[in-house]
Amino acid sequence: MKNIYYIYPILFLGLLLFACSEEDIPGEGEIADLTPPSAGFSFSESEDDHLTYLFSNESISSTDFSWDFGDGSTSSEANPSHTFPEEGTYTITLNSSDKLNASDETSRELTIYPPNYCPEIDAFIGDPCDDGDPETTDDTINEACICGGELPKIIPVILEAGFEDETLPDGTGDGRDSWRNDAGGVIQITSSPVFNGAQAAKLPSAGDRVGLQEIEISPNFDYKMSFYYTMKADPGTLTVSILSDFVTSLDQVADATIATIALTDNSDPDTYVRAELEFNTGNNDKVSIFFHNEGSECRLDDFLIE
Amino acid sequence: MNKHILNSTFLAVLCAMLFVNCSQDELDLAPLSAIGDNGFYQTTEEVEGAVIAIYDGLQEVPLREFALSEMRSDNSRTKSSEGDWAQFQELAVQPTNLVVGSYWAANYNVIFRANRVIENLDAVTDASLRDQFEGEAKFARALCHFNLVRAYGDVPLLDKVIGPEESDYFSRVDASTVYAAIDSDLTDAMGKLPSDMAFGRASKAAAQGILAKVKLTNGDYSGAQALCSSIIDGGNHSLMGDYHDVFYNEGNSEIIFAIPYIGDDANESQDFSFEMTAGGVVSGLNFYTDEFALVVEEGDKRDSTLFNYATIDADVGKFLTQSADARLCGNDWIVLRHADVLLMYAEAIMAGGASTSSFDAVDAVNQVRERAGLSEIEGSLTEDMLLHERRVELAFENHRMYDLVRFGKAISVLGDFAAANGYTFTATDLLLPIPQNEINVSNGALTQNPGY
């Protein structure tokens, strides 16, 4: 038991070696830094010069700032404005510190594009660009493509618009798969007469068939739908409509109708007649094309919306 | 012997008293001399009293609101450029600013009163009346949370009555969560409120209109468009023929929601009319800026209502008091009116683009311009045209700051305005500071916005 006394000199020596350094001793009444700095910032392009950016300091509990703009320049202002040498991507770093030398650092990337450049469509304002219409092979300047103008007008894709076999995007389809619905029986397919290609849609005189297809479209734009039809000599009506909903019964059609046209030209059952229906999509980013007949057998072909 | 009997009787009585002692349930704790929480809200009338108290609380909200939405923008300024008031025009608001604190308190007071109604709805026996009260309370709770989240950013979200111990509710909630709660309250209110309500009480259209603005703020343009067209097609509200009548023919058909006041009545009057209009000559607040005077087009019939030409100072001409006592004004405060809905409708159709050629959008703006005697917009409507029309049509109605933020133009417009007037503007000025007195009593739960 006596042996234990040699431990005291060792402890004492140890205390000497590991004693607190002076910085770590809290002063009288001192408390820890409860609100250390937190760095944050945002930036916006100057109205006058596309290379000049205004930086807004959003740091918390900070008194001193050190900016690195990623192009070799620095600043110690709180809210600097900086002109970059050229277009490109820069990493901006802000180091915010307080008077206790506690600090925080944050970085953000900034990409500067040439004036009038639209990154969304990788083109310059005023450039010729694709207007989305497959009919026009020469791409023309279209306002819808211009960045910073009106929102782009989607040209909707109508599947099996000509009722041809194997025209779905995956190369399958019987010409009417995209037109099936619960509001009426599936449409029939005819091979003669047709307006274009090898097939067209057929609605028998019983009036128990309905064609219905939902398409994606831009809200609040004017569109024009065109198609071709023909009717047999019996008196009857072919109704073609744009609906706001993908209806599940004929009762719902009236309430959902955005635009409609009633067609009665039965002068020649072998000659297709062009018809057009203009509509504004209103507050809908999807609409449905609807067609249905009463009294007379009808054929339809080649739907197009632009 | 007698003594013994007396003692045993006494003991027996004491024992009996022990058994028949009142339990706390049988005690009537309701104070006789004052109305307390515990005995109240037992009948429909008492709950309706709590509903009226919400509107009473709302009367506090607009009193100095002009400072944080108009003076803190390019629309108006002080005359003296001194003190707390000048902090707004100089875009240098301090956390100790009294208006910043009183606006916070006024809105949370309404939220507290609305929550009081919501927790006592069971006392209302009539189902349709219960729905109406719930709708009114949720409308007010949403409107005030909307005021707060736009002014201060992340704020505490109170969906029930809280006591001083419930510190979980003291801290700031992410703005997106606050917006989700506002959306849900207004959607509920819309379903429960009748379209036909007494003037000054929230109607279905009022809930729809505020919700439309919430949706525009959050970029749900399709939702906003549906709500605006529902109000426009609803037919309960329309533009007044004469712009002047909107403000001086109170309770008119253009007003969708207003906070009513009664002039020369110490309890029901307001004094913002004094501070921001005629009285402004003395107090020196909310004078229109030179920049604002320049944007009003030549021949605009709104000119004589926007500006008060009866004095030589740059007085605002809206909400001029007609009361005998200059500080007990009776002008109602308009929160939402039909012209605002028409312009929001166009904004919804534009859907964040820089322009639209939609007939409906152009037509909606043209209805507002036509009343002002201005030429119609032909072809497409641009974002700048729409923001300009909102600025003039809704000037001094406390929309400007939030319109600039919503359109994403606040940094460029206020940056230019500050530079031209020698003020310092940074993006952090778009949110007000959290009031310092609230931070002090929050036990560390509330944190300050960056830049303050």
Side-chain angles (χ1 to χ4, degrees):
Chain A
M1 283 305 278
K2 272 183 188 174
N3 298 358
I4 202 142
Y5 289 111
Y6 71 83
I7 243 173
Y8 290 112
I10 293 174
L11 268 177
F12 185 71
L13 279 173
L15 276 169
L16 275 181
L17 285 176
F18 297 106
C20 295
S21 63
E22 200 174 329
E23 303 89 275
D24 291 342
I25 301 172
E28 192 178 349
E30 190 178 62
I31 54 169
D33 189 350
L34 295 175
T35 52
S38 160
F41 66 92
S42 61
F43 47 76
S44 58
E45 188 183 323
S46 149
E47 295 275 289
D48 312 322
D49 173 15
H50 78 286
L51 290 176
T52 300
Y53 275 73
L54 310 169
F55 292 87
S56 296
N57 204 320
E58 294 173 1
S59 301
I60 294 171
S61 271
S62 315
T63 55
D64 299 280
F65 307 100
S66 161
W67 295 85
D68 182 340
F69 297 111
D71 61 352
S73 338
T74 59
S75 169
S76 58
E77 279 179 64
N79 296 289
S81 122
H82 181 67
T83 304
F84 291 88
E86 57 184 14
E87 287 100 20
T89 300
Y90 299 93
T91 303
I92 323 291
T93 305
L94 169 63
N95 187 303
S96 305
S97 55
D98 63 12
K99 299 297 186 204
L100 295 170
N101 290 325
S103 68
D104 186 39
E105 194 169 276
T106 187
S107 295
R108 289 183 63 177
E109 268 195 5
L110 161 64
T111 302
I112 305 178
Y113 296 105
N116 298 333
Y117 175 79
C118 301
E120 291 87 352
I121 55 169
D122 189 22
F124 287 85
I125 290 175
D127 268 2
C129 58
D130 189 348
D131 62 4
D133 182 355
E135 296 283 300
T136 54
T137 48
D138 57 327
D139 287 342
T140 51
I141 295 171
N142 180 341
E143 268 190 41
C145 295
I146 295 175
C147 225
E150 206 162 3
L151 290 182
K153 175 177 168 180
I154 299 172
I155 300 299
V157 177
I158 306 173
L159 296 173
E160 298 174 319
F163 307 97
E164 304 298 329
D165 280 346
E166 295 170 355
T167 50
L168 288 178
D170 61 1
T172 65
D174 64 354
R176 57 181 184 173
D177 280 341
S178 313
W179 297 93
R180 292 173 193 269
N181 62 89
D182 294 334
V186 65
I187 55 170
Q188 298 179 339
I189 294 289
T190 182
S191 53
S192 175
V194 298
F195 173 74
N196 193 13
Q199 295 181 174
K202 175 178 155 191
L203 297 170
S205 59
D208 55 351
R209 313 293 175 116
V210 167
L212 189 67
Q213 180 177 155
E214 189 169 61
I215 52 172
E216 288 190 13
I217 205 155
S218 299
N220 299 304
F221 273 95
D222 292 328
Y223 284 93
K224 186 164 76 179
M225 180 167 77
S226 63
F227 56 92
Y228 296 85
Y229 79 100
T230 174
M231 296 172 87
K232 288 210 168 160
D234 314 311
T237 310
L238 169 64
T239 303
V240 179
S241 308
I242 296 292
L243 308 182
S244 57
D245 292 316
F246 189 75
V247 296
T248 51
S249 89
L250 287 177
D251 306 337
Q252 300 162 0
V253 170
D255 282 346
T257 299
I258 294 174
T260 186
I261 185 169
L263 301 158
T264 53
D265 185 345
N266 58 1
S267 49
D268 180 358
D270 292 326
T271 307
Y272 276 82
V273 183
R274 180 182 163 92
E276 287 180 354
L277 178 59
E278 289 185 3
F279 61 97
N280 184 287
T281 44
N283 189 13
N284 296 291
D285 55 10
K286 282 180 183 154
V287 296
S288 295
I289 306 167
F290 166 89
F291 58 88
H292 176 236
N293 69 324
E294 277 171 359
S296 177
E297 186 179 301
C298 303
R299 287 172 167 76
L300 299 105
D301 208 354
D302 273 17
F303 277 86
L304 176 69
I305 294 182
E306 55 189 359
Chain B
M1 190 63 180
N2 273 353
K3 207 175 189 181
H4 186 72
I5 289 173
L6 204 64
N7 271 347
S8 358
T9 312
F10 189 60
L11 199 69
V13 169
L14 262 181
C15 288
M17 279 175 79
L18 271 181
F19 287 108
V20 293
N21 208 349
C22 289
S23 70
Q24 195 175 335
D25 305 337
E26 290 161 5
L27 269 180
D28 183 6
L29 291 170
L32 294 173
S33 56
I35 298 173
D37 226 2
N38 40 12
F40 211 65
Y41 307 122
Q42 307 294 322
T43 66
T44 302
E45 289 70 32
E46 287 171 352
V47 177
E48 176 145 40
V51 174
I52 301 302
I54 297 176
Y55 293 103
D56 182 62
L58 271 176
Q59 288 184 321
E60 294 288 317
V61 173
L63 293 185
R64 299 294 177 268
E65 195 182 52
F66 62 85
L68 42 117
S69 51
E70 297 295 299
M71 289 198 343
R72 195 166 58 111
S73 77
D74 50 356
N75 269 8
S76 75
R77 59 180 174 84
T78 67
K79 184 149 248 187
S80 61
S81 298
E82 283 178 352
D84 270 19
W85 298 107
Q87 291 174 9
F88 293 101
Q89 72 186 29
E90 290 164 4
L91 300 156
V93 183
Q94 296 298 312
T96 48
N97 189 297
L98 293 176
V99 173
V100 169
S102 66
Y103 192 68
W104 174 284
N107 279 290
Y108 276 113
N109 180 43
V110 174
I111 292 169
F112 164 76
R113 292 183 184 192
N115 283 329
R116 184 63 92 204
V117 169
I118 291 165
E119 74 173 8
N120 288 294
L121 283 170
D122 288 344
V124 184
T125 43
D126 182 277
S128 66
L129 211 50
R130 187 166 57 232
D131 277 355
Q132 181 199 313
F133 292 166
E134 184 178 349
E136 290 181 274
K138 287 192 167 170
F139 169 82
R141 184 167 76 177
L143 177 63
C144 289
H145 274 128
F146 188 38
N147 285 339
L148 290 161
V149 75
R150 285 185 297 173
Y152 304 96
D154 301 350
V155 286
L157 173 64
L158 301 188
D159 56 1
K160 65 172 193 119
V161 175
I162 62 159
E165 302 298 314
E166 292 173 78
S167 52
D168 290 356
Y169 281 83
F170 293 180
S171 43
R172 303 177 68 179
V173 173
D174 197 64
S176 61
T177 311
V178 179
Y179 273 116
I182 294 168
D183 195 302
S184 144
D185 270 355
L186 287 171
T187 306
D188 278 2
M190 222 170 75
K192 291 179 190 292
L193 285 171
S195 355
D196 191 20
M197 288 287 285
F199 184 75
R201 296 184 71 163
S203 66
K204 181 180 180 184
Q208 287 173 319
I210 300 295
L211 183 55
K213 196 163 283 180
V214 170
K215 288 190 180 294
L216 285 179
T217 308
N218 290 314
D220 176 3
Y221 298 110
S222 169
Q225 186 181 349
L227 290 162
C228 290
S229 48
S230 170
I231 298 172
I232 293 167
D233 299 341
N236 289 328
H237 302 280
S238 56
L239 287 185
M240 290 295 281
D242 184 345
Y243 186 69
H244 191 263
D245 290 345
V246 176
F247 307 95
Y248 294 102
N249 179 3
E250 298 202 321
N252 61 72
S253 65
E254 182 161 341
I255 311 294
I256 299 174
F257 185 68
I259 299 171
Y261 297 91
I262 301 168
D264 295 314
D265 178 322
N267 295 318
E268 303 298 332
S269 60
Q270 45 84 358
D271 65 351
F272 63 76
S273 283
F274 175 79
E275 296 292 353
M276 63 184 250
T277 55
V281 181
V282 184
S283 306
L285 303 178
N286 211 40
F287 288 91
Y288 60 82
T289 58
D290 297 344
E291 285 85 352
F292 180 79
L294 285 174
V295 299
V296 179
E297 292 163 70
E298 193 75 29
D300 193 324
K301 286 195 211 162
R302 292 172 293 199
D303 188 273
S304 57
T305 307
L306 291 169
F307 307 118
N308 176 17
Y309 290 110
T311 65
I312 51 162
D313 294 290
D315 278 6
V316 164
K318 287 182 179 177
F319 306 104
L320 293 175
T321 187
Q322 273 101 47
S323 58
D325 185 324
R327 285 180 187 267
L328 300 178
C329 317
N331 307 61
D332 299 344
W333 180 255
I334 301 168
V335 176
L336 184 70
R337 59 187 175 92
H338 196 69
D340 192 359
V341 173
L342 287 172
L343 296 174
M344 283 200 284
Y345 181 60
E347 188 180 333
I349 291 177
M350 200 177 283
S355 69
T356 176
S357 50
S358 154
F359 172 80
D360 285 347
V362 175
D363 179 60
V365 176
N366 278 338
Q367 287 180 45
V368 173
R369 285 182 66 82
E370 192 189 345
R371 176 173 68 176
L374 296 171
S375 61
E376 290 198 344
I377 293 167
E378 286 169 22
S380 66
L381 169 75
T382 68
E383 199 180 22
D384 287 341
M385 287 176 184
L386 183 57
L387 189 59
H388 164 83
E389 211 52 51
R390 286 192 68 85
R391 185 179 187 188
V392 178
E393 172 70 25
L394 302 168
F396 318 122
E397 293 176 55
N398 302 353
H399 295 285
R400 177 65 174 167
M401 183 66 173
Y402 303 137
D403 284 355
L404 285 172
V405 171
R406 203 171 64 240
F407 276 74
K409 301 278 185 188
I411 291 178
S412 62
V413 170
L414 294 180
D416 289 354
F417 172 76
N421 288 279
Y423 309 141
T424 309
F425 170 78
T426 60
T428 52
D429 293 330
L430 297 181
L431 289 181
L432 286 171
I434 302 293
Q436 189 61 44
N437 57 340
E438 302 291 343
I439 293 178
N440 293 349
V441 296
S442 72
N443 291 331
L446 279 178
T447 53
Q448 188 52 275
N449 275 325
Y452 292 100

